[in-house]
Short mmCIF file of all heavy atoms in Angstrom, two decimals:
data_model
loop_
_atom_site.label_atom_id
_atom_site.label_comp_id
_atom_site.label_asym_id
_atom_site.label_seq_id
_atom_site.Cartn_x
_atom_site.Cartn_y
_atom_site.Cartn_z
N GLN A 39 42.39 -45.83 212.98
CA GLN A 39 42.77 -46.24 211.62
C GLN A 39 43.74 -45.22 211.07
O GLN A 39 43.37 -44.07 210.79
CB GLN A 39 41.53 -46.35 210.73
CG GLN A 39 41.81 -46.92 209.36
CD GLN A 39 40.53 -47.29 208.63
OE1 GLN A 39 39.48 -46.65 208.78
NE2 GLN A 39 40.59 -48.35 207.84
N TRP A 47 42.31 -51.83 217.28
CA TRP A 47 41.64 -51.59 218.56
C TRP A 47 42.61 -50.92 219.51
O TRP A 47 43.76 -51.32 219.62
CB TRP A 47 41.15 -52.92 219.13
CG TRP A 47 40.52 -52.79 220.48
CD1 TRP A 47 39.25 -52.37 220.76
CD2 TRP A 47 41.13 -53.09 221.73
NE1 TRP A 47 39.03 -52.40 222.11
CE2 TRP A 47 40.18 -52.83 222.72
CE3 TRP A 47 42.39 -53.55 222.11
CZ2 TRP A 47 40.42 -53.02 224.08
CZ3 TRP A 47 42.65 -53.74 223.45
CH2 TRP A 47 41.68 -53.47 224.42
N PHE A 59 40.60 -51.67 229.46
CA PHE A 59 41.48 -52.56 228.71
C PHE A 59 42.23 -51.74 227.67
O PHE A 59 41.67 -50.79 227.12
CB PHE A 59 40.66 -53.65 228.02
CG PHE A 59 39.70 -54.36 228.93
CD1 PHE A 59 38.42 -53.87 229.13
CD2 PHE A 59 40.09 -55.51 229.61
CE1 PHE A 59 37.54 -54.51 229.98
CE2 PHE A 59 39.22 -56.17 230.46
CZ PHE A 59 37.94 -55.66 230.65
N ASP A 62 48.63 -53.08 223.75
CA ASP A 62 50.00 -52.89 224.22
C ASP A 62 50.60 -51.60 223.66
O ASP A 62 51.42 -50.95 224.33
CB ASP A 62 50.88 -54.07 223.80
CG ASP A 62 50.60 -55.31 224.63
OD1 ASP A 62 49.94 -55.20 225.68
OD2 ASP A 62 51.05 -56.40 224.22
N GLY A 107 33.43 -56.26 224.68
CA GLY A 107 32.91 -56.98 223.54
C GLY A 107 33.57 -56.50 222.26
O GLY A 107 34.12 -55.40 222.21
N ASN A 108 33.52 -57.34 221.23
CA ASN A 108 34.10 -56.92 219.95
C ASN A 108 33.06 -56.85 218.85
O ASN A 108 33.42 -56.78 217.68
CB ASN A 108 35.27 -57.82 219.54
CG ASN A 108 34.81 -59.16 219.01
OD1 ASN A 108 33.77 -59.67 219.42
ND2 ASN A 108 35.57 -59.75 218.10
N PHE A 110 30.76 -54.39 217.51
CA PHE A 110 30.44 -52.97 217.57
C PHE A 110 29.35 -52.64 216.55
O PHE A 110 29.60 -52.67 215.36
CB PHE A 110 31.69 -52.13 217.31
CG PHE A 110 32.81 -52.42 218.25
CD1 PHE A 110 34.02 -52.91 217.78
CD2 PHE A 110 32.67 -52.21 219.61
CE1 PHE A 110 35.06 -53.18 218.66
CE2 PHE A 110 33.70 -52.48 220.49
CZ PHE A 110 34.90 -52.97 220.01
N TRP A 113 29.13 -46.89 215.32
CA TRP A 113 30.42 -46.20 215.32
C TRP A 113 30.18 -44.70 215.11
O TRP A 113 29.23 -44.31 214.45
CB TRP A 113 31.29 -46.71 214.17
CG TRP A 113 31.64 -48.16 214.22
CD1 TRP A 113 30.79 -49.23 214.14
CD2 TRP A 113 32.95 -48.71 214.31
NE1 TRP A 113 31.49 -50.40 214.19
CE2 TRP A 113 32.82 -50.12 214.28
CE3 TRP A 113 34.23 -48.15 214.39
CZ2 TRP A 113 33.92 -50.98 214.37
CZ3 TRP A 113 35.33 -49.00 214.47
CH2 TRP A 113 35.17 -50.40 214.46
N GLN B 1 50.29 -58.99 220.61
CA GLN B 1 49.02 -58.67 219.96
C GLN B 1 49.21 -58.50 218.46
O GLN B 1 48.96 -57.44 217.90
CB GLN B 1 48.43 -57.41 220.55
CG GLN B 1 47.93 -57.55 221.96
CD GLN B 1 47.44 -56.23 222.51
OE1 GLN B 1 47.77 -55.18 221.98
NE2 GLN B 1 46.68 -56.28 223.59
N TYR B 34 34.29 -65.53 219.61
CA TYR B 34 34.03 -64.09 219.60
C TYR B 34 34.74 -63.47 218.41
O TYR B 34 35.62 -62.62 218.57
CB TYR B 34 34.48 -63.44 220.90
CG TYR B 34 33.77 -63.93 222.14
CD1 TYR B 34 34.48 -64.24 223.30
CD2 TYR B 34 32.40 -64.11 222.13
CE1 TYR B 34 33.82 -64.69 224.43
CE2 TYR B 34 31.73 -64.58 223.26
CZ TYR B 34 32.45 -64.86 224.40
OH TYR B 34 31.80 -65.32 225.52
N SER B 36 34.20 -61.31 214.97
CA SER B 36 33.29 -60.40 214.27
C SER B 36 33.89 -60.03 212.92
O SER B 36 35.11 -60.10 212.73
CB SER B 36 33.05 -59.12 215.07
OG SER B 36 32.40 -59.39 216.28
N TYR B 38 33.58 -56.93 209.79
CA TYR B 38 33.13 -55.59 209.48
C TYR B 38 33.36 -55.28 208.01
O TYR B 38 34.37 -55.71 207.43
CB TYR B 38 33.87 -54.55 210.33
CG TYR B 38 33.61 -54.70 211.81
CD1 TYR B 38 34.39 -55.55 212.59
CD2 TYR B 38 32.54 -54.04 212.42
CE1 TYR B 38 34.13 -55.73 213.93
CE2 TYR B 38 32.28 -54.21 213.76
CZ TYR B 38 33.07 -55.06 214.51
OH TYR B 38 32.80 -55.23 215.84
N GLN B 40 33.80 -52.03 205.44
CA GLN B 40 34.09 -50.60 205.46
C GLN B 40 34.21 -50.06 204.04
O GLN B 40 35.02 -50.55 203.25
CB GLN B 40 35.37 -50.30 206.24
CG GLN B 40 35.61 -48.80 206.41
CD GLN B 40 36.88 -48.48 207.18
OE1 GLN B 40 37.87 -49.18 207.07
NE2 GLN B 40 36.84 -47.40 207.96
N PRO B 46 33.22 -48.38 209.86
CA PRO B 46 32.92 -49.80 209.63
C PRO B 46 31.48 -50.13 209.99
O PRO B 46 30.85 -49.46 210.80
CB PRO B 46 33.90 -50.51 210.57
CG PRO B 46 35.00 -49.55 210.79
CD PRO B 46 34.34 -48.19 210.81
N SER B 91 37.76 -59.53 213.48
CA SER B 91 38.18 -59.12 214.81
C SER B 91 37.95 -60.27 215.77
O SER B 91 37.00 -61.05 215.59
CB SER B 91 37.37 -57.90 215.27
OG SER B 91 37.61 -57.60 216.63
N SER B 97 42.66 -60.46 227.26
CA SER B 97 41.56 -59.51 227.50
C SER B 97 41.74 -58.25 226.67
O SER B 97 41.63 -57.12 227.15
CB SER B 97 41.44 -59.14 228.98
OG SER B 97 41.06 -60.26 229.74
#
Side-chain angles (χ1 to χ4, degrees):
Chain A
Q39 187 168 33
W47 177 79
F59 309 88
D62 286 346
N108 76 329
F110 303 118
W113 298 64
Chain B
Q1 290 176 342
Y34 298 136
S36 296
Y38 297 88
Q40 187 180 35
S91 171
S97 294

